[in-house]
Amino acid sequence: MKDLLALFDWRSYAVLRRNGLVYLRNWKTAFFPPAMEPVVFFLAFGLGLGGYVGSLAYEGADVPYATWVAPGLIAYTCFSTPFFEGLYSSYVRMFYQKTWDGILATQVELRHIVWGEILWAGARGMMNGALVALVLAGFQAAGVVELRWWYLPLLPFVGCALGWTFAAFALVFTAIVPAIDHMNYPVFLIGVPLGLVSNTYFPIESDSVVLTAVVNVNPVYHLSETFRALLVGGDVAYHAAGLAITGGVFLVVCSLLCQRLMRKRVLGE
């Protein structure tokens, strides 16, 4: 219980503030390259591939592929940014820079560091998601996509909250990988496939009960479909409920698990 309640401790937010201050020193190189990746994907998939795909059936209507894929790209950004932040950046601070060791010399405990990392990763996802939403608003103004644009400002905040879940999930692997080279396993065997097969770039449709069950316990899928329901039109309530349930369960389970694994790795307990 103490590990969960540390989320509300000021020391967790002190770690968040520390990471934010460091980020502001080199934000120009840290912000734009990762945030522009989904924009490039939109140009390649939404405009390039969309010229060949044409339209997709969605909620009983034909929706242009560029419009259909746009919400998925925001969801992908809000997933991938916290996930990779929790993998690589947290590992570097923990292992190479020894930042965690220095923080532990103060009144801050390891559980506060873990929650600070989770909160910071969610903030990174919100910032990158906001940039992608801003770019899509520009495409909306140019008539390239047809979105309910008034929902765009809401999406980064939703992505921030779900970013905590994805960061906690990533920190589980950060706690157990022997070296940074082994990050390739969670990245290419879990992160990349999860980002692709969650109704982000193409719809997942199957009559298989097993596949349907797997898809419905995937918070990335519900994040993508919630964004799409808001921006394009659809069953917001169902996917928002699925997002809250799956995201909440994953956050609690992964945060407790990574806390335990981190204590074993960092403190030897």
Side-chain angles (χ1 to χ4, degrees), residues 2 32 38-39 63 107 115 185 188 191 198 202 263:
K2 289 175 62 177
F32 286 107
V39 176
V63 177
Q107 65 267 47
W115 274 114
Y185 288 103
F188 294 107
S198 301
F202 52 87
R263 281 197 297 269

Side-chain angles (χ1 to χ4, degrees), residues 6 38 92 109 111 121 139 156 160 170 176 201-202 204 206 245 269:
V92 168
E109 300 176 12
R111 61 176 177 267
F139 283 116
C160 176
I176 60 177
Y201 297 100
F202 52 87
I204 303 296
S206 175
I245 294 171
E269 295 181 357

Side-chain angles (χ1 to χ4, degrees), residues 140-155:
Q140 168 78 15
V144 177
V145 295
E146 300 174 6
L147 302 172
R148 299 196 289 184
W149 56 268
W150 51 90
Y151 285 113
L152 282 172
L154 172 67
L155 304 192

